[in-house]
């Protein structure tokens, strides 16, 4: 399709296509394109299903677009794309000109003034998020690398929040310019925009049946196919507690487009609580909640207190004014996820049990028995695990926590 036809005021373009271009477009020579990736997952060992689903996905792309907008990528100059939607740039528009016209097209579209999360607005959000997004298999997020040409691309996220009923509480921002691998040039990965997977599955749904299978198997969810959309009846919990807007503004004002010195990078990493003793994007644990847990809960081990008295597994500690020494354990391993560093995820353990729960330190059955006992001993740990993994089954929760041990 010609760009001039695409922007004709008398032609209604599917919200899905507008959302796709709004999320990612590239001006290249005589055409402008948006794209969709289609990656296989090591979690789904079914190559036949993957191939068949890819064919079905192309049909779904065009169905959502109300026309044959999408095609298999045969363009040698378009990289890392399985499918593309290409416009012939007969108006010779540059990036800023195309974006201005795209924004006007969205403003003037019939669906823009819908007063609720209508099907049209859902299509727009699918076009924005699903085409390049992947399902995180360790934490319920739909993630996508977010490409930057200028700060206007950051403002598009605020546009979604303001006009498409996407709460910023469901969004998560993972920028990488301060990470060691990025700074050294070893691996300059794009900043990630991430959205609460459970909110997305319940409210927006997936057109990609391969992604639906990943979500179903990893998070033990049952899909409900309505038309061509896979919805999931999963409880929706606000996953993140970080203030998204403040984090984006910090990125825009302090990181984006700046040539930072080594000293400035170290200072910013410290401000953001990156932990230099661990891997990239780690952070210092919150000492206040550790201290609260240590001094405001009984001196007992959540894992073995039904079998042992704490005096048989520990010792009175001078720095603790004679209280028995215990260690504070994150039930769901925190890794790079600061949202898991909360009081509800902490358990007090004796040194023996804590050491046994290091990854590979003891056999699977021993570790799972300890995890199960922790969940049974502390209702707040159990409830937190149910929220994070969106599951009520104790065996499944135990297995997921065990898989995430660090």
């Amino acid at each position: 399709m010609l760009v001039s036809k695409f922007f004709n005021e008398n032609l209604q373009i599917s919200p899905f296509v507008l959302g796709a271009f709004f999320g990612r477009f590239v001006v290249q020579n005589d055409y402008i394109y948006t794209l969709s990736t289609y990656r296989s997952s090591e979690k789904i060992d079914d190559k036949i299903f993957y191939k068949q689903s890819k064919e079905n996905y192309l049909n779904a792309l065009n169905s959502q677009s109300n026309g044959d907008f999408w095609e298999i990528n045969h363009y040698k100059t378009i990289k890392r794309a399985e499918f593309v939607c290409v416009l012939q740039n007969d108006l010779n528009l540059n990036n800023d000109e195309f974006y201005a016209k795209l924004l006007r097209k969205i403003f003037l579209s019939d669906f823009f003034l819908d007063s609720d999360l209508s099907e049209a607005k859902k299509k727009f959000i699918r076009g924005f998020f699903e085409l390049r997004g992947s399902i995180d298999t360790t934490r319920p997020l739909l993630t996508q690398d977010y490409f930057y040409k200028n700060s206007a691309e950051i403002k598009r996220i605020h546009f979604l929040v303001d006009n498409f009923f996407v709460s910023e509480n469901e969004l998560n921002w993972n920028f990488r310019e301060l990470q060691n691998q990025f700074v050294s040039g070893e691996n300059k990965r794009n900043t990630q925009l991430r959205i609460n997977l459970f909110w997305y599955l319940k409210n927006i749904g997936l057109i990609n049946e391969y992604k639906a299978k990943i979500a179903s198997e990893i998070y033990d969810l049952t899909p409900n196919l309505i038309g061509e959309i896979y919805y999931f009846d999963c409880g929706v919990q606000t996953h993140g507690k970080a203030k998204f807007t403040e984090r984006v503004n910090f990125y825009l004002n302090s990181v984006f487009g700046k040539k930072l010195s080594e000293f400035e990078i170290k200072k910013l990493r410290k401000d953001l609580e990156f932990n230099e003793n661990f891997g990239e994007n780690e952070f210092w644990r919150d000492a206040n909640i550790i201290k609260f847990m240590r001094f405001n809960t009984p001196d007992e081990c959540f894992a073995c207190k039904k079998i042992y008295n704490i005096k048989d597994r520990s010792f009175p500690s001078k720095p603790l004014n004679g209280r028995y020494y215990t260690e504070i354990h994150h039930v769901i391993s925190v890794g790079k996820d600061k949202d898991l560093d909360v009081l509800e995820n902490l358990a007090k353990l004796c040194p023996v049990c804590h050491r046994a729960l290091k990854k590979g330190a003891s056999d699977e059955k021993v570790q799972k028995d300890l995890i199960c006992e922790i969940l049974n001993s502390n209702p707040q740990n159990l409830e937190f695990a149910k929220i994070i993994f969106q599951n009520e089954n104790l065996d499944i929760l135990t297995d997921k926590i065990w898989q995430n041990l660090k």
Side-chain angles (χ1 to χ4, degrees):
M1 179 182 288
L2 297 174
V3 165
S4 57
K5 182 179 179 181
F6 183 84
F7 287 126
N8 188 309
E9 291 187 8
N10 295 320
L11 181 66
Q12 286 292 319
I13 299 296
S14 167
F16 183 80
V17 177
L18 294 176
F21 274 102
F22 191 72
R24 167 75 166 147
F25 70 83
V26 178
V27 177
Q28 193 170 80
N29 299 325
D30 58 348
Y31 56 88
I32 301 171
Y33 70 87
T34 187
L35 59 91
S36 178
T37 56
Y38 204 90
R39 301 186 182 95
S40 61
S41 170
E42 60 182 18
K43 302 292 185 179
I44 306 295
D45 187 20
D46 191 338
K47 294 181 180 178
I48 295 176
F49 176 74
Y50 172 73
K51 183 177 180 181
Q52 292 174 342
S53 67
K54 187 183 291 188
E55 296 172 0
N56 294 337
Y57 180 61
L58 178 58
N59 293 331
L61 286 173
N62 282 318
S63 176
Q64 288 282 294
S65 303
N66 300 332
D68 295 330
F69 280 84
W70 295 87
E71 59 183 314
I72 296 173
N73 180 24
H74 62 271
Y75 294 82
K76 294 181 180 179
T77 56
I78 301 179
K79 307 299 182 184
R80 297 183 294 278
E82 296 287 340
F83 306 102
V84 291
C85 177
V86 179
L87 303 175
Q88 300 302 316
N89 191 8
D90 61 322
L91 298 179
N92 295 316
L93 301 177
N94 59 29
N95 278 282
D96 293 339
E97 291 168 338
F98 180 83
Y99 178 67
K101 285 185 173 291
L102 178 64
L103 203 56
R104 184 174 186 274
K105 185 76 173 179
I106 295 169
F107 282 143
L108 294 177
S109 294
D110 293 341
F111 69 88
F112 184 74
L113 294 178
D114 289 351
S115 58
D116 59 2
L117 188 56
S118 62
E119 181 56 36
K121 289 202 169 183
K122 289 180 183 180
K123 283 187 175 183
F124 187 94
I125 294 169
R126 286 185 205 119
F128 186 94
F129 275 104
E130 189 176 345
L131 303 189
R132 295 178 292 110
S134 60
I135 292 176
D136 191 323
T137 57
T138 61
R139 179 189 173 194
L141 292 167
L142 180 63
T143 73
Q144 62 169 296
D145 285 354
Y146 204 69
F147 302 83
Y148 291 107
K149 295 290 184 184
N150 55 57
S151 60
E153 297 193 45
I154 304 174
K155 296 176 182 178
R156 294 179 199 176
I157 305 167
H158 293 291
F159 184 85
L160 281 179
V161 171
D162 293 340
N163 299 288
F164 286 86
F165 303 96
V166 178
S167 169
E168 68 175 70
N169 292 327
E170 310 300 345
L171 297 173
N172 184 284
W173 189 256
N174 179 28
F175 57 86
R176 290 159 163 163
E177 285 91 331
L178 304 182
Q179 295 174 359
N180 289 328
Q181 288 185 331
F182 191 102
V183 174
S184 67
E186 179 184 346
N187 188 3
K188 293 198 171 186
R189 296 178 296 173
N190 293 93
T191 289
Q192 278 189 328
L193 174 63
R194 308 185 290 195
I195 189 168
N196 184 337
L197 178 65
F198 296 135
W199 179 89
Y200 192 93
L201 294 178
K202 185 178 180 68
N203 293 283
I204 308 302
L206 298 168
I207 63 171
N208 185 328
E209 62 180 328
Y210 189 75
K211 278 194 177 79
K213 187 175 180 67
I214 295 173
S216 177
E217 295 195 6
I218 296 301
Y219 294 104
D220 192 31
L221 300 170
T222 302
N224 181 23
L225 184 60
I226 302 177
E228 62 187 1
I229 311 300
Y230 292 89
Y231 289 99
F232 292 77
D233 188 18
C234 47
V236 177
Q237 297 287 337
T238 298
H239 191 77
K241 295 183 179 179
K243 294 182 178 180
F244 179 77
T245 299
E246 284 81 352
R247 188 167 174 83
V248 171
N249 289 338
F250 177 91
Y251 175 79
L252 185 60
N253 295 324
S254 302
V255 180
F256 176 72
K258 293 182 168 48
K259 294 181 179 179
L260 299 170
S261 67
E262 185 176 346
F263 173 80
E264 290 171 319
I265 290 173
K266 285 184 177 180
K267 185 178 184 305
L268 288 172
R269 285 176 66 87
K270 184 177 180 181
D271 291 342
L272 291 171
E273 297 179 297
F274 283 18
N275 191 341
E276 306 299 336
N277 297 321
F278 293 86
E280 60 181 58
N281 208 30
E282 291 278 2
F283 54 89
W284 295 107
R285 306 293 190 254
D286 188 337
N288 291 323
I289 62 171
I290 298 291
K291 186 182 295 184
F292 180 89
M293 189 71 181
R294 191 181 300 284
F295 289 102
N296 291 276
T297 57
D299 294 333
E300 58 186 13
C301 176
F302 288 9
C304 71
K305 66 181 180 180
K306 292 181 181 178
I307 303 174
Y308 299 101
N309 190 296
I310 191 65
K311 68 181 181 180
D312 299 320
R313 307 281 275 185
S314 185
F315 54 90
S317 171
K318 250 187 177 179
L320 299 178
N321 297 320
R323 295 187 63 162
Y324 278 92
Y325 174 75
T326 53
E327 297 177 351
I328 309 303
H329 171 71
H330 286 84
V331 179
I332 304 172
S333 296
V334 176
K336 300 177 182 179
D337 188 353
K338 189 169 183 177
D339 289 340
L340 297 178
D341 190 34
V342 294
L343 190 62
E344 293 80 5
N345 192 32
L346 298 183
K348 184 177 278 188
L349 300 180
C350 70
V352 179
C353 289
H354 197 206
R355 192 174 301 115
L357 280 173
K358 297 296 183 184
K359 187 172 184 178
S362 53
D363 66 41
E364 178 179 342
K365 184 179 184 309
V366 170
Q367 292 185 325
K368 285 187 174 181
D369 285 346
L370 292 172
I371 293 168
C372 186
E373 194 56 43
I374 291 171
L375 296 179
N376 281 324
S377 297
N378 193 0
Q380 73 173 14
N381 290 156
L382 178 59
E383 187 60 30
F384 186 75
K386 288 178 180 179
I387 291 172
I388 293 300
F389 294 115
Q390 287 293 293
N391 201 291
E392 300 282 330
N393 186 289
L394 182 61
D395 290 336
I396 291 174
L397 295 174
T398 299
D399 183 65
K400 288 185 176 294
I401 291 171
W402 177 78
Q403 290 181 24
N404 282 284
L405 288 178
K406 302 295 184 184

